[in-house]
Amino acid sequence: MRTVPGVVVAGLTAGAVAVVALLAVQADGAQARAEAARASAGVSAEPSPSAPAPAASMPALPASSGTGYRVVYSVSQHRVWLVDPRKDQQVQASFAVTPGSAEPTPGSYSVYSRTAAGKGTDGRQIEHVVRFTDQGTVVFGFGAAVDGSTAPPTGTLRTGGIRSSRADGQVLWDFAPTGTRVFVAE
């Protein structure tokens, strides 16, 4: 059987277009989930501790907290801001978090690893883990306990897991793919 080169090229082109379309739909779905999570968190009249704060009541972004699309974590305030300078309201969300027993050194980092679900160093089941640095033997990253707990770790184990509510963990997960800058401020 003889294959006509034009048919092969047309088939390969159609396959490539289908793959690109699928990837576009998946990317659009992640954006839609992030927007839906932000919208549903802001629906209640009184924001819950896990709902991203409305812009009017949101603590100000720390001074000298980097530029561009980024996650900002304040060590002193135990708070996260998700910043997208391409938007009219640059701070897309902000929420309180609970640090581990160790804090990362202030500076600029990048998300280097993500895990949808696993076990934290404190033994709890966690989800939406977004890691941005390891310093010595401590790995620092954001995540949410599946049981909803944001209690700080006990004992002498040094942990770098920065815990949020499950809803906030989902928003951060959707906002910060691998390579996203994370700025740790005082």
Side-chain angles (χ1 to χ4, degrees):
M1 174 178 207
R2 224 175 110 198
T3 306
V4 179
V7 172
V8 172
V9 171
L12 290 173
T13 301
V17 169
V19 168
V20 169
L22 174 65
L23 292 173
V25 167
Q26 287 177 335
D28 187 47
Q31 181 68 23
R33 284 192 310 276
E35 290 172 7
R38 282 187 215 108
S40 68
V43 168
S44 64
E46 268 184 46
S48 69
S50 65
S57 66
M58 190 181 310
L61 190 62
S64 303
S65 61
T67 60
Y69 188 95
R70 67 199 181 280
V71 174
V72 176
Y73 170 59
S74 170
V75 171
S76 62
Q77 295 182 53
H78 299 136
R79 178 167 281 279
V80 168
W81 290 262
L82 307 180
V83 183
D84 185 349
R86 301 168 296 187
K87 306 283 182 162
D88 289 337
Q89 182 179 327
Q90 291 186 16
V91 176
Q92 296 296 293
S94 179
F95 44 88
V97 293
T98 303
S101 59
E103 291 279 16
T105 303
S108 184
Y109 306 95
S110 290
V111 172
Y112 71 85
S113 164
R114 292 167 31 112
T115 304
K119 195 174 223 181
T121 53
D122 62 359
R124 287 195 175 110
Q125 288 299 116
I126 55 176
E127 64 184 0
H128 302 121
V129 181
V130 177
R131 295 175 199 85
F132 60 90
T133 188
D134 43 337
Q135 298 171 357
T137 60
V138 180
V139 176
F140 292 96
F142 305 103
V146 173
D147 67 6
S149 171
T150 58
T154 58
T156 59
L157 182 63
R158 288 179 43 86
T159 63
I162 302 164
R163 296 280 167 81
S164 67
S165 71
R166 292 183 80 187
D168 292 338
Q170 178 71 57
V171 171
L172 193 144
W173 173 267
D174 289 340
F175 184 86
T178 302
T180 300
R181 288 188 320 137
V182 176
F183 190 87
V184 177
E186 286 290 335

